[in-house]
Amino acid sequence: MTSTIDESNKEKMRSVSVDLNHDASLLIDIPDALCERDKVKFTVHTKTTLSSFQKPDFSVPRQHEDFIWLHDTLVETEDYAGLIIPPAPPKPDFESPREKMHKLGEGEATMTKEEYTKMKQELEAEYLAVFKKTVQVHEVFLQRLSSHPNLSKDRNFQIFLEYDQDLTVRRKNAKEMFGGFFKNMVKSADEVLISGIKEVDDFFEQEKTFLLDYYSKIKDSTAKAEKMTRSHKNIADDYIHISATLNSLSADDSTANKKHLEKLSDLFEKLRKVEGRVASDQELKLTELLRYYMRDIQAAKDLLYRRARALVDYENSNKALDKARLKSKDIPQAEEHQQQCLQKFDKLSESGKKELTSFKGRRVVAFRKNLIEMAELEIKHAKNNVTLLQGCIDLLKSI
Amino acid sequence: QSASEPASLPAEDISTNSNGPKQDSLFDDDPEDLFAEATEEVSLDSPERDVLLSDGPSPAITPITPPTSVLTPRIGLHDDMFTHSSFDEVKIEEEEGGDSFDIHISVSDPEKVGDGMNAYMAYKVTTKTSISLFKSHEFSVKRRFSDFLGLHSKLASKYLHIGYIVPPCAGKKHWMTKVKVGKEDQSSNEFVEKRRSALERYLMRTVKLPVLLKDPDVLQFLESSELPRAVSTQALSSAGLLRMVNKAAEAVNKMTIKMNESDAWFEEKQQHFENLDVQLRKLHASMESLVLHRKELSVNTAQFAKSAAMLGNSEDHTALSRALSQLAEVEEKIDQLHQDQANADFYLFSELLGDYVRLITAVKGVFDHRMKTWQKWQDTQMLLQKKREAEAKLQFNNKPDKLQQAKDEIKELEGKVEQGEREFEQISKTIRKEVSRFEKERVKDFKTIIIKYLESLVQTQQQLIKYWDAFLPEAKAIS
């Protein structure tokens, strides 16, 4: 299925990260995507005034794996060790709607044709929602890069945007070079290393404590928010069944009840649409917000990890220097090595501080925007419900 | 006064002071007395229900906190919904004089009596009425669960077979199943409340039938301070309606001559109730699913609230931290809202449907009784025919003694045939009236309850608006 996502929808969706894609020198978006079985093909569209690019306006097809390649190369790049690398977009996951579609197929015999059609519609909407979400999250990733002063200039980023051939070959080479080295590291080692080091800088001490704790809390909140959303979806599904059965009852009825049942069936059909929107809005504004920042915090933690490693390296280089001095051997190398480590560490600390500060600002702004929007949408939907319900009540009382 | 009868005897008429219509002696001859083992329950299980409920993880939704909302004024929404709404008045049949009296029964104050194995729940049954049948205008008695079942059993045995739609009372098996499936604690507030509400609805539906309101067993149940203990629970579960229907259906199948349905009305109505049964069961199953999911939503919202509170505590940006804490508070209030709504879903809509599924089984039973009555009449007629043929033979063979005996038997049978026809006509007439009453009642019932239910939904939504409205400035205050 191809989906062209119109501008208004995109505005609504582009919510987890604000202040992106405003710099006219480099504008990136994903205007459409194609879904073939499991594979999603994104059309990455770039508009630029920068001379470093060959053309001012161009598009390329990209797969999810290409995004991962780009992310990993950035992570592996030494120069960016002091930056928060925007989290890689998660793999498109159609498992949930697919499983539900399967279950629906199995239960088809137990429902009326109308019911089945409506359930199917709901599921197709869910497919579409997953699809839109994955497009959004891939788009935001690129826009985070384009709005970053350093990362936007990255050579590989440019290749990603411009290279009109298949990136598969490059991806393979990269894999051979790095062998997914960083990823294979045991993540738990991060925590130990980060929390283990003796921190002299108050700022980083605070950040460390904060990020470690916040990460586990936000991870939990994400999971709980997801469960809430699922319950709303279940209720919307129940409304479908109720509406369908009321309709059947109405068809069979010849008493004064007939009209009541008709109106009621109608009402529940409308209510379920609202409930569905409550679910999807909550998901977008709350669950997705939490999920995104959970990943972002992981990226921030990764930064802390790299800095911690640099500190360890520096400390080790100190020890090596002392040893060298003791032995009166290879002192200049040791001195140089120590200097390099110190420089690296200082650089990481300086850039890290900047990154973490702006990260906090970004986070606060995004939370504010999304919480406001969520509250406004909840109010809107509740008001809508009241109107629908009151309308039906008045109708029933008058019959 | 009435001796305790062992469970194996037909639970027809234990009370000695009953002056309800006596069953025909022909009925006694039936070896397959339908009320002999009144143990079966009307089953609310249907295949659809299993599909819906087995979807996804089955949550053990036991109420985490005692549902005080059920007992506090908040759920006064259901407290007066049933008993004060469609049950506002009970009009005595027009043919009785045309005056309209009113009666209102409430079941309250569930109280545990006794200890251990012999402990039981006693309920206060209060009647407020201006009907002259009663000794006073307002009075209360204490009754236990088996008393209700005993009452139903008596009424069913007296009136079902002559065409009255006697309201069923959910028996022990129904409540046991609830305990098993819902993993509910029998002594939990919620369980007690469900039962109390069901018993109240049962009594109100019962007195709505004019013929039952006048019944001495009903009067005794409502008024008597002492009630003879009803026999063992086996015999007293809801008069084995399902079993009865099954047996009647068997009898119908055994009929060699198909009933000549000259009255299309009965055929049409029977089909109508069949359809209604299927649809109501389905709707009931969907509603039960909704109740479950709404409870899940409440639980999940509460969990999220806690998580958001922790997140707020962890957040180091002051304004955002405050907003997150506020969000947690809002969600906590909302989870209570969902819990209350789930109760409304259940007590208003779901229980209404459950009641009607049971009622329709009683309706179907009454139709089947009519068929049985017809069958009896036909059988008697056939017997008469055979006796006449035998008489003709005797006359031919000139056997005067046997001839006289034959003539006597024929005379007796002729009388029975006439009676059979009368009974068939009577039950047909009663059913017509009953169905008309039932349908009118059903329409009124549904309309009233549905409106109340929708109003509960409106209340929830309006409350949601209030909560989110209060939160909005908090979110905007983040800087």
Side-chain angles (χ1 to χ4, degrees):
Chain A
M1 97 186 128
T2 321
S3 165
T4 306
I5 302 143
D6 62 67
E7 272 310 308
S8 62
N9 265 344
K10 282 170 89 184
E11 264 313 311
K12 283 183 210 149
M13 292 191 314
R14 207 183 295 125
S15 54
V16 286
S17 224
V18 280
D19 297 334
L20 291 181
N21 220 42
H22 291 320
D23 183 358
S25 65
L26 186 62
L27 293 170
I28 305 175
D29 70 325
I30 299 180
D32 62 73
L34 195 77
C35 188
E36 274 167 11
R37 288 175 175 274
D38 267 4
K39 286 235 172 275
V40 183
K41 273 205 173 75
F42 303 94
T43 303
V44 179
H45 170 242
T46 312
K47 238 164 127 173
T48 176
T49 58
L50 299 172
S51 52
S52 49
F53 289 91
Q54 287 176 8
K55 288 184 272 186
D57 198 324
F58 52 90
S59 295
V60 291
R62 289 289 177 251
Q63 290 177 31
H64 170 73
E65 286 72 22
D66 300 329
F67 288 76
I68 300 304
W69 163 80
L70 178 60
H71 173 262
D72 289 351
T73 47
L74 293 173
V75 165
E76 306 291 353
T77 308
E78 273 294 312
D79 280 348
Y80 304 143
L83 306 175
I84 297 178
I85 310 291
K91 195 173 159 128
D93 180 18
F94 294 96
E95 187 54 44
S96 168
R98 190 175 301 128
E99 200 185 304
K100 279 173 108 176
M101 192 64 101
H102 182 67
K103 266 204 185 123
L104 179 66
E106 284 179 345
E108 187 178 352
T110 65
M111 31 185 121
T112 65
K113 191 156 187 243
E114 206 182 277
E115 230 172 317
Y116 179 75
T117 310
K118 293 234 167 83
M119 294 288 290
K120 196 149 174 265
Q121 272 175 10
E122 273 299 297
L123 278 178
E124 281 165 0
E126 205 174 308
Y127 262 107
L128 195 64
V130 171
F131 186 68
K132 281 184 181 167
K133 245 197 303 176
T134 195
V135 167
Q136 178 206 25
V137 103
H138 284 74
E139 191 181 70
V140 164
F141 170 70
L142 294 177
Q143 290 172 346
R144 280 280 298 275
L145 293 175
S146 67
S147 48
H148 194 286
N150 305 59
L151 295 172
S152 59
K153 301 193 180 73
D154 183 80
R155 177 76 193 124
N156 284 314
F157 182 42
Q158 188 171 349
I159 292 169
F160 177 92
L161 293 173
E162 224 179 13
Y163 189 61
D164 57 4
Q165 304 289 319
D166 203 333
L167 282 176
T168 324
V169 177
R170 279 191 175 255
R171 290 208 323 257
K172 267 218 221 114
N173 291 343
K175 239 193 171 146
E176 273 156 23
M177 270 174 60
F178 301 120
F181 153 77
F182 189 65
K183 279 216 197 100
N184 289 340
M185 279 194 175
V186 180
K187 279 291 177 174
S188 58
D190 295 7
E191 312 268 323
V192 177
L193 196 62
I194 298 175
S195 43
I197 60 165
K198 215 152 100 175
E199 190 53 75
V200 285
D201 191 334
D202 259 347
F203 173 83
F204 283 101
E205 181 62 38
Q206 270 184 319
E207 282 298 308
K208 179 180 74 184
T209 315
F210 167 67
L211 287 176
L212 286 178
D213 183 44
Y214 201 74
Y215 179 75
S216 65
K217 301 280 156 54
I218 200 171
K219 189 169 174 195
D220 184 60
S221 295
T222 307
K224 300 279 158 64
E226 199 168 26
K227 278 169 103 177
M228 265 202 308
T229 307
R230 226 180 302 148
S231 288
H232 277 295
K233 286 204 183 123
N234 285 338
I235 289 174
D237 283 346
D238 287 328
Y239 282 172
I240 293 180
H241 294 300
I242 291 170
S243 172
T245 314
L246 286 169
N247 203 22
S248 303
L249 276 166
S250 163
D252 286 343
D253 202 295
S254 52
T255 68
N257 233 0
K258 191 187 184 80
K259 280 235 172 81
H260 302 159
L261 295 167
E262 245 170 51
K263 300 290 169 201
L264 212 58
S265 168
D266 212 31
L267 173 69
F268 272 92
E269 170 58 21
K270 297 201 176 95
L271 286 179
R272 72 105 174 166
K273 290 212 170 97
V274 177
E275 193 70 23
R277 250 173 253 138
V278 168
S280 62
D281 285 341
Q282 189 182 77
E283 183 168 42
L284 226 59
K285 301 295 167 188
L286 189 63
T287 315
E288 281 308 298
L289 171 77
L290 293 170
R291 189 175 288 131
Y292 187 80
Y293 278 95
M294 175 182 82
R295 279 192 247 116
D296 226 359
I297 294 201
Q298 183 60 48
K301 277 168 65 185
D302 290 344
L303 167 60
L304 284 185
Y305 172 77
R306 291 192 290 270
R307 180 178 165 275
R309 266 213 99 197
L311 182 58
V312 167
D313 287 345
Y314 173 60
E315 282 173 357
N316 287 342
S317 74
N318 269 337
K319 288 190 195 132
L321 182 58
D322 289 340
K323 227 173 156 183
R325 284 196 176 131
L326 266 168
K327 285 193 184 154
S328 299
K329 207 167 120 180
D330 296 324
I331 296 176
Q333 292 110 302
E335 275 178 347
E336 203 193 314
H337 181 63
Q338 190 239 36
Q339 275 303 108
Q340 278 177 342
C341 286
L342 180 61
Q343 267 174 7
K344 182 172 172 198
F345 175 69
D346 282 341
K347 182 172 156 219
L348 283 189
S349 297
E350 191 192 318
S351 125
K353 202 176 234 171
K354 251 197 306 197
E355 286 279 301
L356 288 169
T357 311
S358 76
F359 170 58
K360 184 191 314 261
R362 215 177 44 231
R363 187 178 82 249
V364 172
V365 168
F367 267 74
R368 179 179 188 276
K369 177 171 187 278
N370 281 281
L371 288 176
I372 292 173
E373 282 174 2
M374 181 175 77
E376 286 174 345
L377 284 166
E378 289 273 355
I379 293 170
K380 173 175 157 210
H381 293 317
K383 284 192 172 150
N384 199 4
N385 274 337
V386 170
T387 311
L388 288 171
L389 287 163
Q390 201 55 57
C392 190
I393 292 172
D394 295 337
L395 224 62
L396 287 177
K397 281 184 171 165
S398 69
I399 296 177
Chain B
Q1 284 196 9
S2 3
S4 290
E5 314 260 2
S8 55
L9 284 181
E12 285 165 13
D13 188 359
I14 303 170
S15 162
T16 52
N17 54 5
S18 158
N19 61 2
K22 287 275 188 284
Q23 291 178 327
D24 193 80
S25 54
L26 259 180
F27 212 76
D28 290 338
D29 293 341
D30 186 355
E32 294 188 305
D33 189 285
L34 296 176
F35 298 106
E37 292 150 39
T39 56
E40 285 296 321
E41 276 294 345
V42 176
S43 164
L44 290 180
D45 288 324
S46 68
E48 292 96 314
R49 187 168 175 232
D50 288 336
V51 170
L52 284 169
L53 292 182
S54 63
D55 201 28
S58 56
I61 298 299
T62 45
I64 290 176
T65 51
T68 51
S69 62
V70 164
L71 303 167
T72 58
R74 172 71 178 93
I75 210 85
L77 109 108
H78 104 264
D79 184 34
D80 50 46
M81 67 74 190
F82 244 122
T83 47
H84 298 291
S85 60
S86 71
F87 292 129
D88 278 340
E89 297 156 5
V90 172
K91 293 187 163 73
I92 302 278
E93 283 225 272
E94 268 86 331
E95 61 187 56
E96 299 288 316
D99 300 299
S100 70
F101 302 100
D102 70 322
I103 177 167
H104 175 240
I105 305 177
S106 68
V107 174
S108 61
D109 303 4
E111 189 181 50
K112 191 167 175 200
V113 177
D115 287 309
M117 284 291 287
N118 297 322
Y120 62 90
M121 210 48 112
Y123 303 88
K124 183 170 163 195
V125 178
T126 309
T127 311
K128 291 186 189 150
T129 178
S130 59
I131 301 172
S132 54
L133 272 171
F134 295 94
K135 295 172 192 153
S136 76
H137 287 308
E138 186 168 335
F139 47 91
S140 299
V141 292
K142 280 266 182 199
R143 293 286 177 258
R144 55 186 291 184
F145 182 56
S146 52
D147 293 333
F148 289 80
L149 294 182
L151 174 65
H152 172 262
S153 178
K154 288 184 199 167
L155 298 177
S157 67
K158 283 194 273 183
Y159 297 101
L160 267 176
H161 70 281
I162 51 170
Y164 288 97
I165 303 171
V166 177
C169 184
K172 300 222 163 175
K173 203 167 181 198
H174 167 78
W175 294 105
M176 279 302 118
T177 314
K178 261 202 169 353
V179 169
K180 261 188 263 155
V181 170
K183 292 167 191 144
E184 274 176 45
D185 178 14
Q186 236 190 319
S187 61
S188 82
N189 286 352
E190 196 167 310
F191 180 84
V192 170
E193 173 55 27
K194 278 184 190 162
R195 208 193 251 204
R196 183 211 66 78
S197 174
L199 292 176
E200 193 173 84
R201 296 195 309 269
Y202 163 68
L203 286 179
M204 280 305 293
R205 286 194 208 282
T206 300
V207 297
K208 289 185 101 170
L209 257 88
V211 69
L212 295 183
L213 178 59
K214 290 180 286 179
D215 184 278
D217 283 322
V218 172
L219 297 174
Q220 185 189 42
F221 181 91
L222 292 175
E223 284 182 314
S224 240
S225 52
E226 292 283 319
L227 203 67
R229 204 30 240 286
V231 271
S232 85
T233 55
Q234 282 284 31
L236 293 176
S237 58
S238 164
L241 281 173
L242 185 64
R243 195 180 178 82
M244 175 186 81
V245 168
N246 284 342
K247 284 199 168 176
E250 275 170 43
V252 167
N253 289 336
K254 285 188 198 140
M255 277 198 249
T256 46
I257 310 162
K258 260 299 167 190
M259 187 173 178
N260 178 22
E261 199 53 85
S262 54
D263 204 339
W265 185 93
F266 281 93
E267 201 167 308
E268 184 200 306
K269 284 299 170 187
Q270 212 157 352
Q271 189 56 51
H272 162 71
F273 283 112
E274 280 299 326
N275 296 342
L276 200 59
D277 185 39
V278 169
Q279 296 302 334
L280 284 183
R281 279 175 194 271
K282 199 161 179 231
L283 191 59
H284 185 236
S286 296
M287 275 310 294
E288 293 200 307
S289 176
L290 178 65
V291 171
L292 207 67
H293 288 142
R294 192 93 71 181
K295 284 189 173 158
E296 264 173 42
L297 178 60
S298 168
V299 167
N300 290 340
T301 306
Q303 285 182 345
F304 175 75
K306 287 201 185 88
S307 185
M310 302 248 281
L311 188 64
N313 282 342
S314 175
E315 174 63 59
D316 65 350
H317 185 274
T318 324
L320 180 55
S321 167
R322 195 190 137 82
L324 287 171
S325 301
Q326 298 287 48
L327 178 66
E329 269 181 44
V330 168
E331 295 287 5
E332 205 181 305
K333 290 197 196 118
I334 290 177
D335 100 66
Q336 187 56 51
L337 213 58
H338 288 312
Q339 178 65 38
D340 291 344
Q341 185 57 59
N343 281 335
D345 291 341
F346 179 76
Y347 284 106
L348 288 175
F349 206 169
S350 184
E351 286 285 70
L352 172 75
L353 293 168
D355 285 350
Y356 269 91
V357 167
R358 273 183 289 270
L359 274 166
I360 288 190
T361 309
V363 173
K364 281 160 65 165
V366 143
F367 274 88
D368 284 323
H369 266 296
R370 177 174 170 269
M371 295 208 109
K372 220 179 177 244
T373 309
W374 180 84
Q375 181 61 42
K376 278 210 166 72
W377 171 32
Q378 296 302 306
D379 288 347
T380 318
Q381 245 181 339
M382 270 169 62
L383 194 59
L384 176 64
Q385 182 66 20
K386 282 206 182 103
K387 290 283 178 185
R388 283 197 174 133
E389 285 167 5
E391 186 214 19
K393 249 201 198 137
L394 288 175
Q395 241 178 355
F396 184 72
N397 292 334
N398 197 20
K399 298 230 170 107
D401 301 328
K402 288 204 175 147
L403 196 59
Q404 187 52 47
Q405 185 190 7
K407 283 197 195 288
D408 289 338
E409 281 176 357
I410 285 172
K411 190 115 186 257
E412 196 190 329
L413 276 178
E414 277 171 349
K416 284 201 172 149
V417 165
E418 266 173 47
Q419 186 181 28
E421 183 176 6
R422 264 203 317 275
E423 278 175 2
F424 178 70
E425 243 131 63
Q426 185 57 50
I427 193 176
S428 301
K429 184 170 160 212
T430 306
I431 291 177
R432 274 187 187 265
K433 243 190 344 195
E434 275 289 282
V435 165
S436 165
R437 176 195 64 80
F438 178 81
E439 289 288 80
K440 258 206 294 220
E441 202 52 56
R442 177 170 75 87
V443 170
K444 191 161 148 226
D445 229 352
F446 267 76
K447 181 172 168 184
T448 314
I449 301 293
I450 293 298
I451 289 175
K452 269 235 150 61
Y453 175 61
L454 295 183
E455 283 173 348
S456 83
L457 288 173
V458 171
Q459 247 180 312
T460 301
Q461 295 301 312
Q462 284 172 335
Q463 207 47 43
L464 274 173
I465 293 172
K466 279 208 191 102
Y467 291 151
W468 287 113
D469 256 338
F471 173 73
L472 205 49
E474 299 291 339
K476 289 186 171 158
I478 304 170
S479 58

